Each structure stands twice: as structure tokens, then as C-alpha cells.
Amino acid sequence: MGDEKGIKTTEYKLENDSELRFEIEAKNEKIVVTLTSGYAELFGTELVKGKAYEFQTGAKVAIFSYHGCTLEMIGNPEQNIAYVAKETPMIQYLNSHSALEQLRIHAESNNKQGPICLIVGPSVGKSTLCRIFLNYAVRLGRRPIYVDLDVGQGGISIPGTIGALLVERPAAVNEGFSQKAPLVYNFGHNSPSENNALYKLLTAKLAEVTLERLQANKKAKASGMIINTCGWIKGQGYDHIKHISKTFDVNVIFVIDHERLYNELLRDMSSHVKVVFLPKSGGVVERTKAQRAENRDNRIREYFYGHKMPLYPHSFDVKFSDVKIYKIGAPLLPDSCLPLGMKAEDNFTKLVAIQPNHGLLHHILAVSFESSEENVIQTNIAGFICVTNVDMDRQVLTVLSPQPRPLPQTILLLSDLQFMDSH
């Protein structure tokens, strides 16, 4: 079937343990997929038979079936490459999930902490594996905590942040996990290398808070944690992996598609940490720098304007005198200028006051829950605003905000990330 625009309906029959993969690269394209018979899932979320699922430009999709199924796809086959793959690591992913579940059963029966699982490797499907593990866990009635330490992606909030989320139900096929009341800390850069000291400070704080939360809820305690990391795995990036493992008290590490990293962790981790090598999915392709930048921009746009369900952000003026703006990290000083005994890296976690100026235009500002400067760096974030205009004559900033005025607090943290509001 088809029409004059090249839109066609194609039927795909999946055998046992195979998956349909497709990626939508063309602008303003969409594909609609319907499960017509059998059973299938997308990254651990079961598809509902007869329901049409719409995927748009940028989507990278792998629909897997353990027992075989038939899928109907409506789209333009010339713009999008779709194929059925029989070689897939899903069975290994399922076996890994089963091993984690055995640890949870043991933890539950002995009132101990469930598995704290760290997923590491280059940019090749870590977020997807996290989603599969989390979906499989909640389908069995578990309540794991998802921790995202990838500041370049923004899986829980916007890029430039780290955060945690209690996962209570499977992710929606098109929109991911429900993000009610996430715990988010502002880092303000899209790579840990921009401020290694601050990144370590914030990951340690997030570890402290999430481990406390596990102890407060018996179900979450046995369910444990799934931790996503960024793709920086060499030099200081490897030091971050070791630091995260220690502060979160990790006992299982899954290494995706990087044998050298796997062997380094086998050598350096203590005996109680299980290190497991897993292959990447054949459908995973490393994103280019431009694709990652576009993805960051889309994540920020979704924060203000929504994805499937449109949001309607507010625009209003804020007086310079009503807010205090800071950035974290002062310029490096030579050792000769420092007080005796002070290390240069202390400056990386220092609050620096910023006078409002035209340089703030299009920058993201994090709104802190903290009302005093004392603990603002290690306090979680209420939300984000974007500066859309700076009027030096009237001494006001015009901001884009998800909520109407007034701002919940007066302390704002400057982020390196920018967003050009095209609405």
C-alpha cells in the first residue's frame, strides 16, 4: 500500500530472539509502528498489540521479540533504513538482568542493600542498557533508583546536570521514564573535564543522598541502583569511574564494548566488585559532535516546550536587584598568588558573583532551592530559566520559565549551556 507522497505500509515478521532496527535521520520525517501479532518490546517496555507508536526525526529504535511477532510500519522507506537483525545481545542483557534480580532476591530476604550497578564504556548504548535493566526490574515489581551522571546528555533533566530518579513504572515507549520529583544537581558544563573538582564534589553528594534514600525505603533498598556514566573513559575520565564506584559503593560494573577498560577495571576494582563485559547492540552508532550538540539543544527545548504533550512556558522580567547570580569556579591563580597551604583546585568549587550583563543572553540559569550562599553548590536545583533579553537601561532580565513569576528563590547559578528560543 502507499500514496503519492511515497508513504508505504511494510510488514515485518520477527522470528524468536530477533529485532527490527531503524533510525530516522531525515528532517520532519516520522514512522508509525504497530504490533499486529505476537509479543515485542522496545528497550524493555512491552508494546501494546494494535496500538500505533509514532517515532520522529532523530529516533534510533530497536524493537525486540523473544517469541516472534509481526510489525506493521508506515513511513517513507527511501528516507529511512529499516532491517531485521538476528544477531543481538538481548539474550546477554536478559541474563545480566536475571543475575541482578538474584542479588535483589537475596538482599530482600536478608534485609540488605540490593545491587548498585554501574554501566561504563564509550558512547555506545549505555543509556539504552540502563533503560532495559530499569524496565525489566519494575516489571517484576522492583523500585530501583536511576542515577544519571552523564552531563553531556541530560537523561533525567537537561544537559549540564546530574540527577537521580526513583523508577516505579516502565518507561513510555516515546517519552522515557516519568520524571516526577527528580533530584537534580547543577554542574553547568557538558563535560566533566570542564571542572573535575566540582564533578567529583557533586557525584559524592549525590551518592550520599541516594544511598540514604535507599535505606529509608525497604522496597527501594532491595531494588538497588542503576548508574549511567559519560563516555569519557581515559585519564581523568577513568579516575572519575573509580571515584564513582567508591562513593556509590558499587558492587557490579557492566562494561560495554571496551576490552581495555574491562581489563583495567578487573585489575583495579576490589574483589567484592563484579566486573562484566557486554557487547553493544549492532544498531548502536556513536553520535557525532554535531549530533550530540543537537541532542542537547532538543533536551533543553523539551524542558521548556514539552515533547509529545506541548508545554507553554512563561516569559517575564526579573529585576537585577531581585536576584543574585553566581558561577561556580574562579579563574586559576598562579601558586605564588595563593595563600600558604591553599591548593589551586580549591578555586574550582568557589562561588563567584556575576553582575548581570549582555553576556548572560541565551544562557541557562539554574534556580537553587537554597536561599543563602553557604550551601548553594551542594544543594539540589528547583528548575531552570533561560535569559532571552538583557535590558541594561531598565536593569531587568527577561527570562523564559516553565512556571509563572515569582521565582521560588533568588539565587541563580550560571550554566555554560545556551539555548536560542526560536518560538
Side-chain angles (χ1 to χ4, degrees):
M1 293 194 304
D3 63 15
E4 68 280 0
K5 294 180 181 178
I7 304 299
K8 294 183 178 179
T9 301
T10 311
E11 189 175 85
Y12 292 91
K13 290 189 181 293
L14 271 63
E15 299 174 2
N16 293 3
D17 303 333
S18 62
E19 65 186 13
L20 173 66
R21 297 174 186 160
F22 61 89
E23 180 178 350
I24 309 175
E25 292 183 339
K27 293 281 185 187
N28 302 318
E29 281 291 318
K30 68 177 182 180
I31 281 179
V32 177
V33 177
T34 306
L35 174 69
T36 56
S37 69
Y39 298 91
E41 59 183 47
L42 186 143
F43 307 140
T45 301
E46 289 183 287
L47 299 188
V48 177
K49 199 176 295 181
K51 181 177 178 179
Y53 295 95
E54 184 179 294
F55 302 94
Q56 297 177 340
T57 302
K60 296 179 177 68
V61 180
I63 298 174
F64 181 81
S65 180
Y66 285 106
H67 306 294
C69 70
T70 303
L71 296 163
E72 182 185 89
M73 177 189 285
I74 301 173
N76 188 337
E78 292 179 7
Q79 297 282 2
N80 311 288
I81 298 171
Y83 63 97
V84 175
K86 292 183 181 178
E87 292 292 321
T88 165
M90 281 298 294
I91 299 301
Q92 286 159 281
Y93 293 174
L94 178 65
N95 290 339
S96 299
H97 154 71
S98 300
L100 292 175
E101 183 57 25
Q102 289 305 309
L103 293 174
R104 293 185 186 110
I105 292 168
H106 182 264
E108 195 170 40
S109 58
N110 293 281
N111 194 26
K112 291 188 175 181
Q113 189 168 274
I116 309 293
C117 168
L118 185 66
I119 298 179
V120 299
S123 302
V124 285
K126 294 188 299 297
S127 301
T128 298
L129 184 59
C130 286
R131 185 164 166 173
I132 290 167
F133 282 165
L134 290 163
N135 278 329
Y136 282 170
V138 294
R139 281 165 63 179
L140 292 176
R142 302 296 181 186
R143 297 291 180 270
I145 289 179
Y146 174 38
V147 176
D148 189 11
L149 304 179
D150 186 355
V151 292
Q153 179 177 276
I156 288 178
S157 184
I158 66 169
T161 64
I162 62 172
L165 190 68
L166 182 70
V167 180
E168 299 183 280
R169 58 183 62 87
V173 166
N174 290 323
E175 296 182 22
F177 294 103
S178 171
Q179 302 200 352
K180 290 180 181 174
L183 178 69
V184 176
Y185 291 88
N186 181 67
F187 177 63
H189 311 276
N190 59 35
S191 169
S193 62
E194 296 290 334
N195 192 333
N196 288 307
L198 177 62
Y199 187 75
K200 282 190 173 180
L201 181 74
L202 292 179
T203 51
K205 180 63 180 179
L206 185 58
E208 177 192 327
V209 175
T210 49
L211 288 169
E212 275 181 15
R213 284 197 175 186
L214 278 188
Q215 300 306 316
N217 184 313
K218 191 175 180 182
K219 203 162 194 176
K221 183 180 177 181
S223 301
M225 250 186 250
I226 305 290
I227 306 168
N228 187 30
T229 58
C230 65
W232 187 26
I233 57 174
K234 293 179 181 176
Q236 187 74 48
Y238 183 68
D239 290 341
H240 285 312
I241 292 173
K242 292 194 291 185
H243 174 258
I244 292 162
S245 178
K246 185 177 179 182
T247 53
F248 279 91
D249 198 18
V250 167
N251 50 19
V252 183
I253 301 178
F254 291 102
V255 183
I256 300 184
D257 194 47
H258 204 285
E259 289 190 8
R260 179 180 166 183
L261 178 61
Y262 169 68
N263 284 295
E264 285 176 337
L265 289 169
L266 277 180
R267 178 194 68 204
D268 293 338
M269 290 295 115
S270 61
S271 57
H272 83 279
V273 180
K274 179 77 172 170
V275 183
V276 181
F277 181 86
L278 286 175
K280 68 174 180 179
S281 168
V284 172
V285 179
E286 192 164 350
R287 288 171 294 188
T288 65
K289 211 170 186 178
Q291 286 172 327
R292 288 199 295 269
E294 187 177 356
N295 189 56
R296 282 194 291 272
D297 206 47
N298 288 338
R299 287 291 297 159
I300 297 171
R301 184 174 288 103
E302 283 174 19
Y303 176 79
F304 289 110
Y305 289 101
H307 180 49
K308 286 285 184 186
M309 293 291 290
L311 302 176
Y312 301 96
H314 302 262
S315 182
F316 54 84
D317 291 343
V318 178
K319 291 180 183 176
F320 290 178
S321 56
D322 288 347
V323 291
K324 298 173 186 173
I325 303 174
Y326 297 93
K327 80 181 188 80
I328 305 172
L332 273 178
L333 293 171
D335 290 344
S336 57
C337 297
L338 295 172
L340 196 63
M342 182 182 175
K343 295 179 181 178
E345 65 184 38
D346 293 345
N347 268 11
F348 287 118
T349 55
K350 182 181 177 183
L351 269 187
V352 181
I354 299 289
Q355 293 301 317
N357 59 73
H358 286 296
L360 294 177
L361 191 62
H362 305 309
H363 275 270
I364 298 294
L365 300 175
V367 183
S368 177
F369 268 124
E370 190 64 47
S371 56
S372 70
E373 294 86 347
E374 195 175 339
N375 300 313
V376 70
I377 293 174
Q378 295 188 67
T379 301
N380 55 309
I381 295 302
F384 300 90
I385 56 176
C386 179
V387 179
T388 56
N389 190 43
V390 181
D391 191 326
M392 298 302 292
D393 295 331
R394 293 171 53 228
Q395 297 277 290
V396 296
L397 301 172
T398 306
V399 300
L400 186 70
S401 167
Q403 292 188 327
R405 71 177 88 202
L407 296 172
Q409 291 292 355
T410 59
I411 292 182
L412 308 175
L413 296 174
L414 176 63
S415 170
D416 267 358
L417 280 86
Q418 298 183 44
F419 173 63
M420 298 281 282
D421 183 20
S422 56
H423 282 70

